[in-house]
Amino acid sequence: MVDLTYLAEKTPGQTLLPTDPQGRADVNRWLFWCSAHMAPANTVLVQENFVKQRTGRGPPDPAEVARGEALVAQTAPVLDSHLAGRTWVAQERLTLADLSLAASFALAGPARLPLEGYANLRAWLGRVQELDAWQRTAPPMPPPAARS
């Protein structure tokens, strides 16, 4: 998060980080919320359902998967509710808040994040993923690690 704001501040003419205090506070609120809540919740399922498979470290731990699903169930409704009637997370435009949050969902499919009940969140994520900048920088999915 610090790197995002630093880069935005160093880029003349950028529009992703507001310069006014109220706008910046709005974006920062979601950057901090992502770091404290959404990203950690998603990371559990990324680790269990994606990383372990890709690195050949065994099957997902059912207790950890349940914990990750419970964390997503606690945090995703907050974002989904906030996005009701909105196109973007903050400032009625694309900001660092959108990019930071979307990054935590980058592996939503292979990590099997339980997002079925969150229509606003899924629609917003689709908008972010349609951005040219997102498509140009999205990493290709590596093949699964061979099992021995």
Side-chain angles (χ1 to χ4, degrees), residues 3 7 14 27 39 65 67 89 95 114 118-119 125 128 130:
D3 293 339
L7 291 172
Q14 64 81 25
V27 169
V65 169
R67 183 174 76 86
V89 172
T95 67
Y118 308 110
L125 185 57
V128 174
E130 288 172 0

Side-chain angles (χ1 to χ4, degrees), residues 44-117:
V44 174
L45 293 174
V46 168
Q47 173 67 28
E48 292 301 318
N49 293 329
F50 179 74
V51 172
K52 280 186 171 181
Q53 177 192 19
R54 296 291 190 240
T55 60
R57 291 191 291 152
D61 177 339
E64 280 298 287
V65 169
R67 183 174 76 86
E69 289 173 348
L71 289 170
V72 170
Q74 288 174 343
T75 56
V78 174
L79 182 58
D80 187 69
S81 176
H82 175 73
L83 287 165
R86 289 183 168 88
T87 302
W88 304 109
V89 172
Q91 300 296 290
E92 301 299 324
R93 62 186 169 86
L94 180 70
T95 67
L96 288 182
D98 296 289
L99 298 177
S100 178
L101 280 159
S104 78
F105 290 99
L107 296 170
R112 298 190 295 279
L113 296 181
L115 303 180
E116 298 79 25

